[in-house]
Amino acid sequence: MCIRDRFNTKHGLQISQEKKKEVEKAALIDDAKEGTKEERTFQLWINSLAMEGVYVTNLYSDVKDGLLMIKVLDKIWPGVVEGKRFEKTPSGNKFKMIANGNYIIELCKKQKIVTTGIGGSDIADGKQNLILGLIWQLMRANYMQIIGGKTDEELVAWANSMVNKPPGIKNLKDPSLKTGRFFIDLLAAIEPDVVDWSLVKDGTKDEEIEMNAKYAISIARKLGGKIFLTWEDIKRVNSKMLTVFVAAIMNIQTVSYTHLT
């Protein structure tokens, strides 16, 4: 069976009439915030999980009481959290915050997350490097869930068949990806009406590359994608983040669109 058949590419693809009425052009959204790229990536990832009542604006202060990370763990591995095992109102109580931190470490160990060198008190104290290391592992676990069993080669073959502009890209380290145009073309292949082509640039200058990258991310989010890479990941051709970006775009197609038979 060919890649095209396996991943339901645009051949025979049709947006439902109900969905068609909802389509409008995607706007360019710049959600760059203060902080390092790593901090911004983790905040984007947590916010992409779409947990009720959760929107992270300050990573280190938001994780201190343990409730945020407990919610994240239950989102990644539904049912892993036992309601009676954590403090639901820990704010201002260091003992309760540490207890939640200890429970987070216990849950992480059960999911084979490396917790060497970090304890519940480190989370409650907001120790940045240790928190970043732990969150990176959680994000990676979620990243692997999104990708599933798909290989880079399969993702590239699917994307090239969707865009249908030979010769396409060679792999997810292809230097041409830095312009952002390929991803915009890929998203347009899924839903042409969502792209405002007046916002799309050649990508020959740094400011054009930045704008295209931000717009590709904006389009993917507009279509309901679970997106947590930064525009710098596209510019730098960060192959790990581009792998999950393409997988997320594939999921947009799978979840949101109907296919002719």
Side-chain angles (χ1 to χ4, degrees), residues 20-202:
K20 187 77 172 178
K21 294 176 183 178
E22 300 174 1
V23 173
E24 56 185 38
K25 303 294 184 189
L28 176 62
I29 300 174
D30 184 359
D31 59 2
K33 297 178 176 64
E34 293 182 1
T36 66
K37 176 187 172 299
E38 194 172 36
E39 291 168 25
R40 288 189 288 121
T41 297
F42 293 159
Q43 288 183 187
L44 287 170
W45 168 63
I46 294 173
N47 291 336
S48 79
L49 296 175
M51 297 179 290
E52 185 177 355
V54 172
Y55 188 82
V56 179
T57 57
N58 188 312
L59 185 66
Y60 304 116
S61 63
D62 288 348
V63 302
K64 282 185 177 182
D65 66 8
L67 293 179
L68 174 63
M69 292 186 70
I70 288 171
K71 288 181 179 179
V72 168
L73 284 159
D74 197 53
K75 184 72 174 184
I76 300 173
W77 296 288
V80 70
V81 174
E82 299 176 37
K84 296 181 179 180
R85 294 290 311 281
F86 67 93
E87 300 289 342
K88 296 177 178 60
T89 57
S91 181
N93 187 314
K94 192 64 175 289
F95 177 80
K96 290 183 177 180
M97 291 165 65
I98 292 174
N100 278 352
N102 288 334
Y103 185 47
I104 289 166
I105 299 302
E106 178 185 328
L107 292 173
C108 286
K109 287 179 178 178
K110 288 181 179 178
Q111 300 302 325
K112 311 301 182 184
I113 299 294
V114 177
T115 59
T116 305
I118 183 171
S121 60
D122 296 314
I123 296 173
D125 290 337
K127 291 188 178 179
Q128 296 185 4
N129 288 340
L130 295 176
I131 289 170
L132 289 177
L134 189 61
I135 294 177
W136 161 247
Q137 292 185 77
L138 297 178
M139 188 179 81
R140 185 178 183 279
N142 184 228
Y143 160 100
M144 295 306 294
Q145 289 175 344
I146 294 171
I147 294 172
K150 306 176 188 76
T151 67
D152 282 7
E153 291 75 15
E154 289 173 328
L155 290 170
V156 167
W158 171 80
N160 279 334
S161 69
M162 287 290 291
V163 173
N164 196 26
K165 291 184 177 180
I169 58 171
K170 295 179 180 178
N171 50 48
L172 292 171
K173 296 179 181 179
D174 195 308
S176 67
L177 291 173
K178 72 178 291 184
T179 70
R181 289 293 302 256
F182 183 84
F183 299 113
I184 294 173
D185 287 339
L186 177 57
L187 289 157
I190 293 174
E191 178 38 62
D193 292 335
V194 79
V195 179
D196 183 347
W197 291 103
S198 69
L199 297 177
V200 181
K201 307 304 178 183
D202 291 336

